Amino acid sequence: MAASASAARLLAGDSLTIHVSSRPQLAMVSALPRSSPPTWRLGRPVRLSTSSPHARSVRCLAAGGGLAPEMRATLDKVVASHKVVLFMKGTKDFPQCGFSHTVVQILRSLDVPFETLDVLANEALRQGLKDYSRWPTFPQLYIDGEFFGGCDITVEAYKAENCRKH
């Protein structure tokens, strides 16, 4: 699979190769609300308890302590260079897990242009992302350089946005 030119330039190096796929589209990403501690911006504030798994997803960008500096720098560049990045199992055209497939379908239904990186293709990437986001599962969605959440949070935000429209 060919990487996009910008991602390929960012990821050039011997120690880590990450393949990025993209589908050119025009759209606004603002359809998905972004989180801000301690509430979600879903039309009405919702208080999240600190024991909630959703509370851990708020602004944990690059907070992992055991992450190698080279991996952190590479991931910083990748998430900063694209408005929407989905780290997933498989590719957007051939997801390898149902959760990844669900997030891809949501982004496509919103006509959001996004990049994907296959965490199954690189064990170092998969483990590094867990430290980078402090989130143990995939997919992991980043919007505007910030960790947004996994499948459950994306589905919740999508449903809430659709309820507000109707």
Side-chain angles (χ1 to χ4, degrees), residues 76-145:
D76 283 343
K77 287 178 186 176
V78 171
V79 299
S81 66
H82 305 287
K83 184 139 180 95
V84 180
V85 181
L86 180 63
F87 294 94
M88 61 179 286
K89 293 179 179 179
T91 65
K92 66 173 73 174
D93 295 323
F94 192 63
Q96 296 293 304
C97 110
F99 299 114
S100 293
H101 175 72
T102 298
V103 176
V104 167
Q105 292 305 105
I106 288 171
L107 294 173
R108 284 184 169 164
S109 75
L110 296 170
D111 289 325
V112 172
F114 63 102
E115 299 287 334
T116 61
L117 286 90
D118 183 1
V119 298
L120 296 176
N122 189 307
E123 180 64 25
L125 170 66
R126 185 165 65 241
Q127 293 307 315
L129 273 164
K130 291 177 183 181
D131 287 335
Y132 185 76
S133 65
R134 288 201 216 163
W135 193 259
T137 60
F138 295 96
Q140 293 183 10
L141 181 62
Y142 288 77
I143 300 174
D144 290 328

